[in-house]
Amino acid sequence: MNLLSMFRRGSAPLARERLQILLAHERDAFDQPDLLGILREEILAVISRHVSFDPEKVQITMDRGKTVSTLAVDIEIPNRRRSSGPMRPYTRLMFEADAATARSQWTNGLV
Amino acid sequence: MSEGKSARVLVVTSGKGGVGKTTSTAALGAALAHLGEKVVVVDFDVGLRNLDLMLGAERRVVFDLINVINGVAKLQQALIRDKRLENLYLLPASQTRDKEALTEEGVAKVIAELRTKFDWIVCDSPAGIERGATLAMRHADAAIIVTNPEVSSVRDSDRIIGLLDSKTEKAERGEYVEKHLLITRYHPWRAARGEMLSIEDVLEILSIPLLGIIPESEEVLRASNVGSPVTLNAALSPPARAYFEATRRLKGEDIPMHVPNESRGILNKLFGRKAA
Ligand SMILES: Nc1ncnc2c1ncn2[C@@H]1O[C@H](COP(=O)(O)OP(=O)(O)O)[C@@H](O)[C@H]1O
Ligand SMILES: [Mg+2]
């Protein structure tokens, strides 16, 4: 939805599109198990079998789209080797379903 | 992370539904953030969350208030941040139908943690006078009572004022919960014709200080369509100006009150609608 078409057609088409996306996801959520939730749990379980990480240093980002949704799991893992220098105090694991996330104006997490 | 803050907790409440609580939470939250404050808006409307939608954050919700209370998620995982306004955060409500999950101890813990990280916590209350509404007001330092100039809304506001004086932590400690009246959906021309309760009527009946008067405006509808608070989406529009003034009063500034005047919009003027 670009600005020009918004001027021409008002804001209702955007409202309609946002609602369609949201409701499709919400109806799914009531009908079937939450796929992204399951993926999130299992990814974290697999990683915690191999390395220990601070649960507070896990950032999960989601973007529910019309045709694709993305789930990004960003985990900060302390390096095992000592003194790896000031530049790399930890390793970061990132899983992203789709790098081209986010038309959304919002993002997850606290800074 | 900005630890060591001590937030002021606001509850936006009314008793009656559809008067403009969620709209006002979004507008005031964005205005405070715009003025440099670090703000989190918290949705207490469990099962019927809408603040995410008003803010345009609905695609981003991963965790919610109840997940944090249950320990499924850490607070910083559940918070989502506005990219347009870096100081504005949302803690979404749960869509679960299990309202029992919203416990008093859980809410107390979350609010206590938020207090250390933000300057303002703005709690959007659900309608009614049940658990959700009383939990939303529980920790408030100040309440914004959203009222339409209309009999049932004024009556419900009066009821809510009573609850604020009995059910909040401050009230239980014998302290005074600050109260601010925010009149919304005000139609200047109806007031002028005497078809709607006047500002003076409402003030006289409720006798709490006036924070602002928000005119009925199509800018509010447009803002909700595009998912952006009106104070961000149309910052110079009459409702946004009124919300900005209210915000500055909340911050302690002393600015004169403007009663929205009878600007009837270009169409009405063109067609010369006359007073009945
Ligand atoms: N100043 C206003 N002008 C026009 N419409 C408004 C205004 N304030 C609220 N509304 C509309 O009223 C409806 C209810 O508002 P909402 O904020 O959801 O109320 P509540 O949270 O109290 O139930 C929404 O459709 C909203 O767009
Ligand atoms: Mg609401």
Side-chain angles (χ1 to χ4, degrees), chain A residues 35-99:
Chain A
L35 177 62
L36 291 185
I38 293 168
L39 287 176
R40 184 183 73 221
E41 289 308 312
E42 295 196 355
I43 290 171
L44 294 184
V46 165
I47 293 162
S48 63
R49 272 210 298 277
H50 297 281
V51 284
S52 62
F53 55 87
D54 180 355
E56 308 233 350
K57 297 286 167 63
V58 177
Q59 193 59 57
I60 296 161
T61 308
M62 193 130 91
D63 187 35
R64 296 189 188 79
K66 196 178 205 166
T67 50
V68 274
S69 294
T70 66
L71 172 72
V73 184
D74 183 341
I75 307 169
E76 202 176 290
I77 297 167
N79 275 349
R80 267 176 293 186
R81 272 180 220 171
R82 62 205 146 79
S83 70
S84 47
M87 294 303 289
R88 303 187 53 207
Y90 54 80
T91 304
R92 226 154 166 184
L93 276 181
M94 275 198 67
F95 301 86
E96 254 188 278
D98 173 12

Side-chain angles (χ1 to χ4, degrees), chain B residues 151-213:
Chain B
V151 288
S152 61
S153 173
V154 173
R155 178 205 198 172
D156 288 0
S157 292
D158 192 66
R159 188 83 189 278
I160 282 290
I161 292 170
L163 286 183
L164 286 163
D165 285 331
S166 60
K167 297 262 183 175
T168 54
E169 254 190 343
K170 270 200 142 178
E172 285 173 7
R173 287 199 302 261
E175 292 168 33
Y176 181 73
V177 182
E178 238 180 71
K179 298 176 203 77
H180 303 276
L181 180 65
L182 186 66
I183 295 182
T184 57
R185 313 205 67 168
Y186 178 77
H187 295 73
W189 67 96
R190 285 196 188 143
R193 289 184 203 153
E195 291 170 2
M196 195 178 64
L197 286 172
S198 71
I199 304 291
E200 293 73 32
D201 294 336
V202 180
L203 280 174
E204 191 193 319
I205 296 166
L206 293 178
S207 59
I208 56 172
L210 182 60
L211 182 68
I213 307 162

Side-chain angles (χ1 to χ4, degrees), chain A residues 6 11-12 14-19 21-22 26 30 40-41 54-66 68 70-71 101-111, chain B residues 1-2 38 49 52-63 72 74 76-77 79-84 86 88-90 95 97 117-118 221-228:
Chain A
M6 244 180 70
S11 55
L14 182 52
R16 178 189 142 98
E17 189 191 339
R18 293 175 60 222
L19 274 174
I21 295 171
L22 176 66
E26 285 197 341
F30 283 112
R40 184 183 73 221
E41 289 308 312
D54 180 355
E56 308 233 350
K57 297 286 167 63
V58 177
Q59 193 59 57
I60 296 161
T61 308
M62 193 130 91
D63 187 35
R64 296 189 188 79
K66 196 178 205 166
V68 274
T70 66
L71 172 72
T101 305
R103 283 189 303 151
S104 175
Q105 303 279 23
W106 288 73
T107 188
N108 307 74
L110 175 69
V111 289
Chain B
M1 215 171 289
S2 38
K38 190 167 182 185
R49 74 167 171 230
D52 57 336
L53 199 53
M54 293 268 190
L55 292 166
E58 70 280 0
R59 299 160 57 120
R60 281 286 177 189
V61 175
V62 185
F63 299 114
V72 169
K74 301 282 174 198
Q76 49 267 57
Q77 293 169 332
L79 288 168
I80 49 187
R81 177 167 54 96
D82 196 329
K83 291 189 206 157
R84 299 160 294 194
E86 299 228 308
L88 181 62
Y89 289 79
L90 165 68
Q95 275 299 59
R97 280 159 283 192
K117 296 183 161 74
F118 290 91
L221 177 63
R222 190 168 302 134
S224 78
N225 277 344
V226 303
S228 173

Side-chain angles (χ1 to χ4, degrees), chain B residues 16-23 54 185 214-217 220-221 224:
Chain B
K16 191 170 158 67
V19 295
K21 290 180 294 300
T22 303
T23 302
M54 293 268 190
R185 313 205 67 168
I214 315 298
E216 175 81 11
S217 163
V220 173
L221 177 63
S224 78

Side-chain angles (χ1 to χ4, degrees), chain B residues 70-125:
Chain B
N70 292 340
V72 169
K74 301 282 174 198
L75 184 61
Q76 49 267 57
Q77 293 169 332
L79 288 168
I80 49 187
R81 177 167 54 96
D82 196 329
K83 291 189 206 157
R84 299 160 294 194
L85 270 175
E86 299 228 308
N87 293 334
L88 181 62
Y89 289 79
L90 165 68
L91 183 55
S94 164
Q95 275 299 59
T96 162
R97 280 159 283 192
D98 180 19
K99 295 193 185 184
E100 295 304 304
L102 197 66
T103 61
E104 185 164 340
E105 310 75 59
V107 170
K109 223 181 107 226
V110 172
I111 296 286
E113 198 178 346
L114 287 173
R115 270 192 204 265
T116 66
K117 296 183 161 74
F118 290 91
D119 299 314
W120 297 80
I121 302 170
V122 188
C123 304
D124 183 22
S125 176

